Amino acid sequence: MKIAVFAGDGIGPEVTREAVRVLEALALPGLELIEGDVGGAAYKRHGHPLPQATLDIARECDAILFGAVGDPDCDNLERSLRPEQAILGLRKAMGFFANLRPARVFAGLEDFSALRPEVAGAIDLLIVRELNGDVYFGEKGIRKLEDGRRQGWDMMSYAEDEVRRIAHVGFKAAQGRAKPGEKGKLCSVDKANVLETSQLWRDVMIEVSADYPDVELSHMYVDNAAMQLVRNPGQFDVIVTGNLFGDILSDQASMCVGSIGLLASASLSEGTSGLYEPIHGSAPDIAGKGLANPMATILSAAMLLRHSLGFEAQAARIEAAVAKTLADGIRGGDLGGSFGTAAIGDAVLERL
Ligand code: NAD
Ligand code: IPM
Ligand code: MN
């Protein structure tokens, strides 16, 4: 079993280091970790944010543990060379189209949510975000109009097969999370009142729902979804949505839970391989200071063991160790505490 470790930029290496310590502590037989360069770090070393050598490692491994990419030094590079192209390129090249972003409130953290504790306490949801399409991957550019004004444009589109495959992921997730004897709950979030892309999205969701009589499908416009997520997040179980809406709603969900430093993610293809990363970025404002919360990355490593390597028990052990660490009051600055990155890693390891 080979795991690629792409730490990237900013706090990426800091949080990835702690997740690697956790993986190593499990001493899984035959596990090999292979490091590769991505993002601004790769650009500075090799002239490209996603060098061929890194792609080769990604292809040879069973799963990828990813830190974060993004470097203010690189913000003026042409788009194809910006650090973010590493993660976008990996998602596309590897066919990681299904992004699972679970959000739940850990016991004892209700008071740290940006919401009232009784509202926050009910959060246990999963955002299923499409990752290979939408406005992210359409034609784009900045062009000069005839009258000399510049115009920026990004094409939003989804083909029906792209919607269908993420719909199946959403319905299956809702099925899997249903309580015994109850129907699964899937809420499809779109902007079908305005966007044709969303109308097709909604039509396909309804079509696919025929295959899942045990799942109750509902639809919500994205603006209302943003509001409902803070008004009454407990109403959601699985949310399925497009690339851009999913990006925004998942950052919002993180603050409902308490911190963006807690939200993990899995980016999956049709097979067992996947990329696992915290939903946060490289956090240049705290990079290099040992202040980042590594829990989102540690929880991503747990998702890796579960989804790509089939180590359910070990994944659950990691999740329990993180929950216990939080319950014991060991928290980073993002949660009003004073523990640094390595100290949080130590605390999780002790409990593991
Ligand atoms: P960000 O997620 O990096 O940071 C937003 C805020 O959250 C910052 O104040 C940061 O300090 C805080 N934060 C983030 N992670 C934290 C953690 N683990 N512990 C404590 N605090 C944490 O978002 P941004 O500032 O908008 O973006 C910074 C860079 O990261 C940009 O270049 C962006 O493109 C990139 N980015 C990359 C990814 C990725 O690699 N998948 C994701 C998001 C953003
Ligand atoms: C994320 C990030 C990325 C995205 C960026 C860095 C390309 O925000 O993983 O959530 O928009 O998908
Ligand atoms: Mn994001």
Side-chain angles (χ1 to χ4, degrees):
M1 293 170 302
K2 290 181 182 168
I3 301 179
V5 178
F6 300 156
D9 305 318
I11 63 170
E14 301 170 46
V15 293
T16 305
R17 190 175 304 126
E18 301 310 318
V20 164
R21 286 171 71 204
V22 167
L23 283 174
E24 285 174 341
L26 291 171
L28 300 166
L31 189 67
E32 193 186 339
L33 303 179
I34 306 177
E35 290 183 16
D37 292 328
V38 288
Y43 174 77
K44 285 170 183 168
R45 215 169 289 163
H46 314 283
H48 198 278
L50 183 57
Q52 185 59 45
T54 300
L55 263 176
D56 292 344
I57 295 172
R59 293 211 170 91
E60 117 182 48
C61 286
D62 301 292
I64 302 166
L65 180 68
F66 194 94
V69 288
D71 180 343
D73 290 354
C74 298
D75 282 348
N76 293 320
L77 291 173
E78 67 170 86
R79 187 158 301 280
S80 66
L81 293 177
R82 289 198 201 177
E84 290 82 353
Q85 293 303 317
I87 186 64
L88 296 172
L90 275 169
R91 289 171 182 169
K92 195 73 172 175
M94 302 294 292
F96 297 139
F97 70 94
N99 189 209
L100 310 184
R101 297 187 158 188
R104 71 178 171 98
V105 169
F106 287 91
L109 277 197
E110 297 83 354
D111 288 334
F112 293 92
S113 166
L115 309 179
R116 288 194 310 281
E118 67 275 19
V119 179
I123 301 175
D124 184 0
L125 59 85
L126 173 70
I127 296 178
V128 176
R129 170 191 177 196
E130 201 289 329
L131 216 48
N132 274 186
D134 203 348
V135 70
Y136 274 65
F137 291 99
E139 278 181 43
K140 57 185 73 227
I142 298 177
R143 61 190 164 200
K144 262 248 167 74
L145 298 175
E146 277 175 13
D147 62 9
R149 287 178 301 145
R150 285 175 306 152
Q151 181 190 51
W153 54 288
D154 298 84
M155 162 90 160
M156 174 183 273
S157 74
Y158 265 122
E160 59 181 322
D161 55 307
E162 293 176 306
V163 182
R164 204 167 285 124
R165 66 179 181 173
I166 196 71
H168 283 289
V169 174
F171 279 103
K172 290 200 175 94
Q175 252 176 356
R177 287 167 55 100
K179 297 192 189 76
E182 286 183 24
K183 276 191 161 192
K185 264 175 74 177
L186 180 66
C187 179
S188 169
V189 170
D190 64 32
K191 188 74 187 172
N193 50 348
V194 178
L195 303 174
E196 289 298 316
T197 310
S198 280
Q199 187 57 56
L200 179 79
W201 175 280
R202 190 175 283 218
D203 293 346
V204 173
M205 286 291 156
I206 292 168
E207 175 198 308
V208 173
S209 72
D211 294 351
Y212 300 88
D214 51 346
V215 177
E216 189 188 299
L217 172 68
S218 61
H219 307 274
M220 198 179 278
Y221 297 132
V222 63
D223 45 352
N224 183 28
M227 187 275 278
Q228 297 294 341
L229 208 47
V230 293
R231 189 188 74 90
N232 175 20
Q235 73 186 280
F236 296 108
D237 187 32
V238 181
I239 291 174
V240 63
T241 191
N243 205 345
L244 182 63
F245 299 156
D247 179 43
I248 298 167
L249 292 179
S250 52
D251 264 40
Q252 187 178 332
S254 76
M255 275 319 288
C256 298
V257 162
S259 167
I260 193 161
L262 294 174
L263 258 67
S265 82
S267 302
L268 306 175
S269 59
E270 303 278 11
T272 58
S273 96
L275 180 148
Y276 301 83
E277 58 169 338
I279 79 155
H280 63 70
S282 58
D285 54 335
I286 57 166
K289 298 180 181 160
L291 295 174
N293 186 347
M295 285 175 165
T297 315
I298 293 171
L299 292 168
S300 299
M303 292 184 89
L304 182 157
L305 294 179
R306 170 176 297 125
H307 291 286
S308 283
L309 301 185
F311 288 116
E312 170 58 37
Q314 287 82 348
R317 269 181 69 197
I318 294 175
E319 288 162 353
V322 169
K324 180 83 169 78
T325 304
L326 288 166
D328 289 345
I330 291 159
R331 293 168 193 152
D334 55 325
L335 291 166
S338 58
F339 287 83
T341 312
I344 294 174
D346 290 343
V348 172
L349 277 173
E350 256 171 56
R351 283 151 186 84
L352 191 69

